[in-house]
Amino acid sequence: MRKIPTDQLPINADGSAFHIHIKPEELADRVVMMGDPERVPVVAAHFDSIEFDRQSREFRTITGVYHGKRITAISHGIGCDNIDIVMNELDALANIDFETRQVRADFRPLTLVRIGTCGGLQPFCPIGSYIVSEISMGMDGLIYFYANHESIIEKALAEKFVSHTQWSPVAAIPYFVRSDASLVEQIGFDMLRGITISANGFYGPQGRHVRLALQQPDLNSRIESFDFEGLKIANYEMESAALAGLSRLMGHRAMTACLVIAGRYAGDMNTNYKGSFDELITKVLDRI
């Protein structure tokens, strides 16, 4: 059996995962994820009890119990590159023996729900609404670095999107991945659903023009008009595609639910969204 070398899976001297600094026994089977480390204690404020609270860089983790369910709340920072770090380390905590550095014989599946904020791209996605990412599109190209990615990506969808948007040939080819269907129904049965774009930046990649000109100024209008078998692109955020893709390759259940705080179609934004976000937290904790 393969022993995973130190440079492939760094483990800290205290037996914790290198970046997120938690140990295998500290990880719950249910994981709630968010980008901002300041949102982790907001989630944990709902817990009935807390086991530990730890922070390393942008990765803050609190594991506790909510209505009899052991849950880990963890921040992953911004971007699909951070999801690559967090997902690989969470999977290692669940499925690698940190003493022998070998894969455990019994697979331990995780249920992961990312809660975040996003920009709505359609008239039916106004500020204050909740959107579940039924399918996510990655601009970053991350999933192409992993073997067997062909088994999880929606190739026909990607080809139609590239053609419709006249996607730049110098950009990474977009990849589309479905979230876990049963988890989408479990968490988001009363929420809006659609295709979510995980952008590889907040400004230019999401069509924001501040001082630098955009290479394709009309890209958002092309994205808004895209339709695939009745599915529309509903929103922009920055992590759901990597989460969905890596989770499916690893065998975990994962999905993303977001609160719309920016109306990209209407051109408005709400920065005072804490009450609505706390309601989304409660829904996810109740349903996970």
Side-chain angles (χ1 to χ4, degrees):
M1 186 177 291
R2 174 179 175 243
K3 183 177 180 178
I4 302 170
T6 303
D7 70 309
Q8 304 293 302
L9 177 63
I11 299 174
N12 297 314
D14 65 355
S16 63
F18 183 67
H19 293 92
I20 61 179
H21 274 263
I22 64 173
K23 302 174 184 178
E25 65 271 17
E26 295 173 331
L27 175 66
D29 291 340
R30 298 178 177 93
V31 183
V32 178
M33 309 171 72
M34 59 229 74
D36 186 352
E38 294 300 317
R39 290 177 180 167
V40 176
V42 175
V43 172
H46 294 269
F47 290 175
D48 302 311
S49 61
I50 290 175
E51 292 180 19
F52 75 93
D53 180 345
R54 190 169 304 130
Q55 182 156 3
S56 172
R57 308 182 196 185
E58 64 266 53
F59 310 114
R60 185 169 182 180
T61 308
I62 299 177
T63 293
V65 176
Y66 175 83
H67 295 182
K69 297 180 288 188
R70 188 169 184 251
I71 296 174
T72 293
I74 185 169
S75 60
H76 50 65
I78 297 175
C80 285
D81 50 347
N82 269 24
I83 295 295
D84 183 63
I85 292 171
V86 173
M87 275 306 304
N88 273 284
E89 294 193 2
L90 290 177
D91 179 72
L93 288 165
N95 292 295
I96 303 295
D97 185 318
F98 273 31
E99 292 185 4
T100 66
R101 291 184 164 273
Q102 294 178 337
V103 177
R104 296 183 185 276
D106 297 324
F107 175 70
R108 178 188 171 191
L110 301 174
T111 297
L112 308 112
V113 178
R114 178 180 123 68
I115 51 177
T117 52
C118 69
L121 282 165
Q122 301 291 343
F124 61 83
C125 303
I127 284 178
S129 57
Y130 301 130
I131 299 177
V132 171
S133 306
E134 193 165 3
I135 298 175
S136 297
M137 184 202 101
M139 290 182 173
D140 53 286
L142 171 69
I143 209 69
Y144 297 129
F145 288 90
Y146 291 93
N148 302 318
H149 64 262
E150 300 92 347
S151 66
I152 63 163
I153 60 175
E154 303 287 329
K155 187 176 179 182
L157 178 48
E159 289 174 348
K160 184 173 181 180
F161 177 84
V162 167
S163 174
H164 178 84
T165 58
Q166 298 179 13
W167 192 256
S168 171
V170 298
I173 300 171
Y175 62 91
F176 289 78
V177 185
R178 292 185 182 272
S179 299
D180 184 272
S182 64
L183 191 58
V184 166
E185 185 60 33
Q186 176 181 330
I187 302 293
F189 59 84
D190 58 354
M191 302 179 191
L192 299 175
R193 301 185 190 184
I195 301 173
T196 294
I197 292 183
S198 294
N200 53 352
F202 181 81
Y203 289 95
Q206 295 188 38
R208 288 185 170 94
H209 174 202
V210 183
R211 197 169 67 84
L212 295 178
L214 299 174
Q215 189 227 4
Q216 195 174 355
D218 65 342
L219 181 58
N220 271 3
S221 64
R222 292 179 181 274
I223 288 172
E224 290 161 9
S225 63
F226 179 72
D227 182 284
F228 184 80
E229 299 178 354
L231 286 172
K232 304 283 286 186
I233 294 178
N235 59 324
Y236 266 128
E237 51 85 83
M238 297 180 67
E239 293 88 19
S240 66
L243 175 62
L246 291 175
S247 296
R248 287 194 61 188
L249 287 174
M250 293 170 176
H252 304 298
R253 301 171 73 217
M255 58 153 283
T256 294
C258 285
L259 165 67
V260 178
I261 65 169
R264 302 306 307 280
Y265 181 84
D268 53 4
M269 185 160 183
N270 174 28
T271 57
N272 185 24
Y273 55 82
K274 291 185 178 179
S276 297
F277 193 73
D278 198 61
E279 182 182 336
L280 177 58
I281 291 169
T282 302
K283 285 180 181 288
V284 170
L285 291 176
D286 285 339
R287 298 171 184 180
I288 192 172

